[in-house]
Amino acid sequence: MIDQYIRQYGKRLYGLCLYLCTDPYDADDLYQDTWMKVVKNISQYSSDKPFEPWLTRICVNTYRNTLRRIARSPIFNYFHDNEEKDAAIEGVFISEGEDYSSLHEAIDRLPEKYRVTVLLYYFQEMDIHSTAEVLGIPPGTVKSRLCIARKKLKEVLENEADLQF
């Protein structure tokens, strides 16, 4: 049963993991952790509901838990402020040699709640209600976050002098 889900949703799930983590090694870990949680909790899945939003919610929650665990790490208690901590985290997760487009860079700089909403809606092609269900927020909040994210992205991308499409 799980093999069928992996064949059907594995590629899209891995794409989401790559968007969330930006580092292939972290994406691999997130992908594996997500499927492990699916196997562990498959008895809680209600077959009368779509599988993909349930799977995506597990992935996003696993990602958030990882971020919280990193933030609570004693290693990061030595920084004076959040900017120093954020710079250190970015240095760890972004490997040299990767070439991101301006849009992906701008999305990566969005605050986490906007970034995840944008990734689910635009890159995972979820509708407003599915995105809301995965994030555990009302549909109106999804719309609001998308609107704010688009405005922020527009500002950033308009200020890019060397932006080419």
Side-chain angles (χ1 to χ4, degrees):
M1 180 175 182
I2 295 296
D3 291 339
Q4 175 189 350
Y5 288 133
I6 292 173
R7 278 192 301 276
Q8 187 173 357
Y9 301 105
K11 199 173 198 177
R12 285 180 57 88
L13 177 66
Y14 188 72
L16 174 61
C17 293
L18 279 173
Y19 278 120
L20 290 172
C21 296
T22 67
D23 179 74
Y25 298 109
D26 293 330
D28 289 345
D29 290 343
L30 179 59
Y31 181 81
Q32 290 176 356
D33 290 345
T34 300
W35 283 116
M36 293 295 290
K37 288 183 180 184
V38 166
V39 169
K40 182 180 176 185
N41 297 305
I42 194 70
S43 63
Q44 296 174 7
Y45 169 65
S46 174
S47 61
D48 60 328
K49 293 188 177 185
F51 182 78
E52 190 170 21
W54 184 73
L55 173 65
T56 305
R57 179 182 292 181
I58 290 172
C59 181
V60 169
N61 287 341
T62 302
Y63 172 72
R64 286 177 174 168
N65 290 341
T66 302
L67 288 181
R68 279 193 282 275
R69 191 171 43 252
I70 289 170
R72 286 191 307 250
S73 170
I75 294 170
F76 293 109
N77 290 338
Y78 296 105
F79 296 103
H80 296 1
D81 57 24
N82 282 338
E83 285 182 14
E84 238 181 272
K85 189 184 292 186
D86 290 342
I89 290 172
E90 284 181 26
V92 170
F93 289 115
I94 298 175
S95 63
E96 292 182 33
E98 289 184 312
D99 185 32
Y100 295 116
S101 70
S102 296
L103 176 60
H104 285 143
E105 286 178 7
I107 290 170
D108 288 344
R109 290 189 300 239
L110 285 173
E112 194 63 27
K113 65 183 181 180
Y114 300 119
R115 188 172 81 85
V116 172
T117 306
V118 165
L119 291 175
L120 292 175
Y121 185 76
Y122 289 108
F123 293 91
Q124 292 299 305
E125 299 174 2
M126 297 183 109
D127 61 16
I128 295 289
H129 294 287
S130 296
T131 302
E133 184 179 330
V134 166
L135 296 175
I137 58 177
T141 304
V142 171
K143 291 177 185 178
S144 173
R145 286 183 184 179
L146 289 172
C147 181
I148 291 168
R150 283 190 298 265
K151 286 179 184 176
K152 289 178 182 281
L153 289 171
K154 184 177 178 183
E155 289 173 13
V156 169
L157 294 174
E158 282 180 349
N159 293 331
E160 290 286 329
D162 60 343
L163 185 64
Q164 296 178 9
F165 289 98

